[in-house]
Amino acid sequence: MKKYLLALTLALSCAFFAGAQPITGINHTPVAPTTNDQVGIIIDSQWPYNCISDSFTVNITGNQIQIYMYQCLGMLSIICTKTDTVNVGQLPAGTYTVYVFASYAQAQPTCSMYSPPMPTNVNHTFTVSQFVSVPEVKNSLSLDVYPNPSSGNIYFRYSASQSCVMEIYDLVGQKVRSYTLVPGSQQVVIREGELKSGIYFAKVLTGNKETLVQKFTIIE
């Protein structure tokens, strides 16, 4: 009886695949891969029985990527729709075409006898571009505070190659002033009476990074 049910199941699954391909879609990730990326091939598939497990092998020859999919199916007659991502690693620059070959086997008694690979009629082409590193642009920055200490106006003379921000903090870490520093050689003035007497810190930020700190003192 078990042999009869197994034979009937195999016959039904063969009939299913005779009229439909199990691979329903192929794509890739990331969207615009470079030679610095790990490329993943996204495979959408649909099977006539519940999916138990799967495995994949990858063969890359020149600009052709061949993926062999081995799907183990259960005995429940329910449609299994699934998406798998197969990592094919970093690829040289070029245009690639992906071919997926699907094989299946029933879980009873074991998933050991797989069907011949079925080539899909859904192929996929994508391009890998050469990765180009962008050198970090460092801000050339100088800052002088004078007079220091000061009982009157205090001057901040700076030279910056990029726009940045100077923030003034008091001794307990509270921000009391903020100034935008534009490229070139410029000057910021804090006039007498704008800050109470005490110790302060001028912190220059490029982006979100602290790049320069100057300590100064206001006296009465």
Side-chain angles (χ1 to χ4, degrees):
M1 184 66 178
K2 289 183 178 179
K3 291 183 178 179
Y4 172 76
L5 290 176
L6 178 59
L8 179 60
T9 300
L10 289 173
L12 290 174
S13 62
C14 289
F16 175 89
F17 289 122
Q21 289 284 347
I23 307 302
T24 58
I26 306 172
N27 212 324
H28 68 278
T29 185
V31 175
T34 71
T35 53
N36 199 46
D37 294 317
Q38 293 286 330
V39 178
I41 304 301
I42 303 170
I43 302 173
D44 297 318
S45 61
Q46 181 174 286
W47 305 87
Y49 294 93
N50 60 308
C51 299
I52 302 297
S53 62
D54 56 36
S55 61
F56 300 86
T57 59
V58 178
N59 179 35
I60 301 177
T61 304
N63 288 65
Q64 292 189 1
I65 301 174
Q66 297 176 338
I67 299 178
Y68 293 85
M69 179 180 188
Y70 301 92
Q71 181 64 54
C72 180
L73 300 175
M75 305 302 292
L76 298 177
S77 183
I78 57 175
I79 299 297
C80 169
T81 300
K82 61 199 290 285
T83 298
D84 298 281
T85 300
V86 180
N87 183 17
V88 297
Q90 292 177 313
L91 300 171
T95 300
Y96 293 83
T97 302
V98 182
Y99 303 89
V100 178
F101 301 86
S103 298
Y104 68 94
Q106 299 293 149
Q108 292 186 3
T110 60
C111 272
S112 57
M113 298 182 63
Y114 283 88
S115 68
M118 296 177 290
T120 178
N121 55 2
V122 181
N123 299 324
H124 178 67
T125 301
F126 67 96
T127 299
V128 176
S129 59
Q130 184 67 43
F131 174 75
V132 179
S133 61
V134 179
E136 181 182 357
V137 178
K138 295 184 178 180
N139 192 11
S140 176
L141 178 69
S142 64
L143 178 68
D144 295 317
V145 184
Y146 67 94
N148 188 15
S150 175
S151 58
N153 293 347
I154 188 164
Y155 300 87
F156 301 83
R157 180 173 293 171
Y158 70 88
S159 178
S161 59
Q162 298 180 43
S163 294
C164 48
V165 175
M166 182 177 72
E167 297 177 342
I168 308 299
Y169 292 83
D170 62 18
L171 195 58
V172 297
Q174 181 178 1
K175 183 168 69 173
V176 295
R177 290 286 189 278
S178 181
Y179 305 91
T180 298
L181 308 185
V182 298
S185 297
Q186 304 288 338
Q187 183 172 270
V188 173
V189 181
I190 297 180
R191 303 195 178 278
E192 182 180 358
E194 292 185 5
L195 293 179
K196 298 178 180 179
S197 61
I199 298 174
Y200 296 87
F201 297 91
K203 298 183 179 181
V204 179
L205 307 176
T206 301
N208 293 323
K209 296 181 180 180
E210 182 180 297
T211 58
L212 191 62
V213 178
Q214 291 280 13
K215 179 181 176 182
F216 64 96
T217 304
I218 302 291
I219 58 176
E220 294 182 353

